[in-house]
Every structure is written in C-alpha cells, then in structure tokens.
Amino acid sequence: MGRLTGGDPSLLRRINSAVVLHSLRSADSPTLTDLTRITGLSRPTVEGVVEGLIEIGLVVECVPEEGETRRQGRPARRFRFRAEAGHLLGIEIGAHRVAVLLSGLDGRIIGAGSREVPETAGEDERLERVRAVVADVLRRTGVARGSLRAVGVGSPGIVESDGTVRLCTALPGWTGLALGERLRRSFRCPVLVENDANAAAVAEHWKGAATDSDDIVFVLAGLSPGAGSLIGGRLHRGYGGAAGEIGALHLLGREATPEKLLSTTDKPLHPLDEQAVADVFALAKGGDEQARAAVDRFIQRLVHNVAALVLALDPELVVVGGWAAGLDGVLDPLREQLSRYCLRPPRVALSLLGEAAVATGALRLALDHVEEQLFAVERTVTARR
C-alpha cells in the first residue's frame, strides 16, 4: 500500500494511517523500524502517521525502562496502541435477564454485569434494568460514560437496520419497539442493535466454537428457536433481517407448537418458562416415559428446523447454544439425524461461550463499528450493506 501513487492524497493518507494503526494494535510495542518493515511504508510516512495518531490520542510512546536506558544509551522509540482511549459496550436483552460486557478498543473485556428481569416485564421496566446494569458496570470499572465509542445490543426478534424490532414474540411490548432510538437517548455514541442469534453466531466465530470456520449456523435452541448464520465469514441477515427464524417453520405444516410438543399434559408449556422445560428434561433423564416422549418430539422438531437451514446453506459447522445446549440428550441425536437428512452433514458442536454468547457478539458488533472507522479498508463481519 505504501507504493500506491496518484489518486486522492487524503485517501492514501487514510489508508496509510489504517495500516500503521492496525500494525500497532497487533504488535508488542514496535519501533519505527519495526513498523516500516511490517507495513512496507517508508520511514518518513510511518513517522508522520505515528505522530498524527499520538496527537489524536490513539497511540502513545512507551517510556523505556531504566535498565534498558543504562545498557543501550538512548534506546529506539517504541509505541503502543491506546486501547484505553475509548470503550465499548455489548448488551444482551433477554426474556429473563439483561447482561453487559465492557471492553477497551482492543475488545478485551474489563467489566461485566447482569441482572434478572421478570419474563412479564414491559419494555420500560426492561430498558430501565439495562440502564441500571450499564451504570453499575461503568461505576465499578471507573470508566466515564463519555469514553464510550459504540454500543452493541443483542435482542430477540426481527431487527431492522435502524434498530427497530419489527416482530418479537419473546418479550412483552417488543414488537414495533424503536429499540435503537430508545437506547440512543442514554448514550452519546452509536448504538447498533442486532438479533440475538445473529449476535451469538458472530461471537462464536470471534471467540467460541467457530473460530476456524467461515460458514456456520448458530442455533439458539429453545421453545422458539432462532438461528444466525455466517456465509463466507459474513453475517447473513436476509433482505429484511428475518433470516434464521426457524421457530416459525412449524407454521408451514400447521403442526403442533413447540410448547405443545414438550408438554407432558394436555396443556402447552408457557413459551418463556425455562424452568418447566428443564423439569421435563430432568424427568426424561430419570426415566419418565411421558417426559421422554416429549423430549423426543422436541428434538425431532429441532432437527427438522436445523436441517432446513443446513440443506439451504451447506455450512461447515452447526453450533448449538441457548438453554437446550445445557440439557442432556440434544447433541448426539442432532448429529445422527442431520446425517440422515442432509446430503453433506456438517460438524456439530456445543457453544463454548454459553450464556455469554449474545453479549459477546453484541460487543463484537460495537468493535466492528469502531474498526470500520479506524481502519476503513475492508468491510467488517457485521457491517450492514
């Protein structure tokens, strides 16, 4: 990139700045000579870029250790990326809890918090819990709200590009909620809202079970399962953000709802009653015949839902998360049945991030936004078209 000539000088400066900054963030206190070698840029160009980055607070010169100064005389100047120059939030909003992760500009988590929420809570109460957890995390870490550069949010439902929830059956009052707009009132930085399964898929690709795969399906398993997918390493939302809504597949055949399939009585389970679901799985594990039949029905439905996506997308890997990931008896039948239904069965793995997957993916969403501003050479995994 240092050998480019002609064109827009401001664009070349921005490219050079992005290349140097990326190298600084990846290296361990490099010298100007190191950066010249790594980037392929001329030394005067690197020196000018570094000085500019110091002026705006993204880079700082390292102070040499006293012993190093005595041994070598005047040592070479070393520099580091200032991850503390700004901060990012990743927020999960779920049926039963809200959770927050805080990081510096390098994505390393420096604070976390969560709070339970009643499943019947309305939008105002739920959002107030979000604000309370954010305030608590910022207070405990000593991070000023004004240092936040971006906030990512993972939420159930079909989420439009402006952060409006077009449809959501999991949370009371969530359908039609201008979630992004409501949350932007609490922050002075961009707020990016994503579907929870999509966020979890991004998280597994970043730090979880899918770090070595670019074509994946993440299944957020539950009574109303959802899925997120990466195709060629990029998040696939679909035209209107509704890709992966596999919980609605039963409508095609007008079959029983998942709440009915997992019930051991004539009365369907409540869609948000995770404890009732866990009780059914526990009874099945203990040998209760009605519970075992209910679990078998549920797993068969989950397999059909996942198989539909696998046949359409041909992923390398399916990652299973959500509450069903912690319940015995899901993974092996899923592998077995996918091998029957699918022309090329994918690998199947449990989420490595567990209940932190959605908030972690939301944090990655915020980090992608900042990186797109800082590096601005390629589109990021979660960039919207």
Side-chain angles (χ1 to χ4, degrees):
M1 288 186 179
R3 293 189 292 272
L4 287 175
T5 59
D8 181 357
S10 64
L11 175 60
L12 293 180
R13 282 195 298 270
R14 186 166 180 81
I15 291 173
N16 290 339
S17 180
V19 170
V20 172
L21 186 60
H22 192 278
S23 300
L24 272 162
R25 197 178 71 161
S26 303
D28 182 18
S29 303
T31 64
L32 290 175
T33 300
D34 295 332
L35 291 171
T36 299
R37 174 180 51 80
I38 294 169
T39 63
L41 299 170
S42 69
R43 186 181 179 92
T45 296
V46 169
E47 193 165 11
V49 169
V50 169
E51 292 301 329
L53 292 172
I54 290 175
E55 287 181 12
I56 63 175
L58 287 175
V59 171
V60 66
E61 184 173 352
C62 301
V63 177
E65 296 181 5
E66 185 178 345
E68 183 182 8
T69 303
R70 284 202 301 266
R71 282 195 312 272
Q72 302 177 1
R74 183 180 179 184
R77 299 171 70 195
R78 293 184 176 275
F79 306 89
R80 70 171 179 86
F81 173 71
R82 292 188 67 240
E84 70 275 18
H87 295 87
L88 311 168
L89 282 178
I91 300 174
E92 174 194 4
I93 303 177
H96 299 276
R97 73 168 198 151
V98 296
V100 171
L101 296 177
L102 174 70
S103 81
L105 294 181
D106 55 1
R108 296 182 183 180
I109 296 170
I110 60 173
S114 65
R115 187 165 296 188
E116 298 299 314
V117 183
E119 64 188 40
T120 56
E123 66 269 30
D124 291 338
E125 181 180 355
R126 203 172 297 273
L127 290 176
E128 186 54 41
R129 296 287 174 99
V130 171
R131 296 185 187 98
V133 176
V134 168
D136 180 61
V137 170
L138 293 177
R139 178 186 56 79
R140 285 189 285 107
T141 55
V143 171
R145 185 177 291 265
S147 75
L148 294 175
R149 294 289 189 93
V151 176
V153 182
S155 165
I158 299 172
V159 180
E160 298 180 347
S161 59
D162 65 353
T164 298
V165 182
R166 180 153 57 91
L167 178 65
C168 178
T169 58
L171 304 181
W174 225 243
T175 294
L177 178 66
L179 180 57
E181 180 182 330
R182 291 283 297 273
L183 288 174
R184 287 182 194 109
R185 300 172 190 171
S186 300
F187 303 100
R188 301 175 187 173
C189 62
V191 176
L192 307 107
V193 184
E194 186 58 79
N195 166 267
D196 52 1
N198 286 349
V202 169
E204 293 292 339
H205 185 254
W206 182 30
K207 291 187 173 184
T211 55
D212 60 348
S213 302
D214 282 342
D215 292 272
I216 72 167
V217 166
F218 176 90
V219 181
L220 195 59
L223 287 181
S224 182
S229 57
L230 268 63
I231 301 175
R234 298 211 176 275
L235 184 61
H236 177 69
R237 297 180 174 88
Y239 179 75
E245 293 294 328
I246 57 177
L249 284 176
H250 69 278
L251 299 175
L252 297 177
R254 296 184 179 178
E255 300 173 12
T257 63
E259 303 93 272
K260 179 63 177 175
L261 287 177
L262 205 50
S263 173
T264 57
T265 67
D266 292 333
K267 183 179 179 181
L269 300 180
H270 190 283
L272 300 179
D273 192 346
E274 295 179 6
Q275 185 56 52
V277 173
D279 290 344
V280 173
F281 272 79
L283 287 171
K285 188 176 180 180
D288 184 278
E289 290 299 325
Q290 284 186 310
R292 291 176 70 172
V295 169
D296 287 344
R297 291 194 300 267
F298 170 78
I299 291 176
Q300 188 70 11
R301 171 64 59 77
L302 182 64
V303 168
H304 286 168
N305 290 343
V306 175
L309 271 183
V310 169
L311 287 169
L313 299 179
D314 185 30
E316 177 187 0
L317 173 67
V318 172
V319 180
V320 182
W323 56 257
L327 301 174
D328 294 338
V330 172
L331 209 61
D332 287 341
L334 186 57
R335 289 194 182 105
E336 178 185 348
Q337 294 299 316
L338 286 179
S339 67
R340 290 179 51 199
Y341 287 112
C342 300
L343 302 178
R344 193 206 60 79
R347 292 189 291 120
V348 180
L350 284 178
S351 165
L352 294 182
L353 298 174
E355 65 177 10
V358 175
T360 301
L363 183 67
R364 179 70 240 191
L365 191 75
L367 182 59
D368 271 357
H369 178 80
V370 169
E371 287 185 345
E372 197 168 19
Q373 292 180 322
L374 294 179
F375 305 135
V377 177
E378 295 182 357
R379 288 169 63 83
T380 53
V381 170
T382 56
R384 292 186 182 270
R385 58 185 180 182

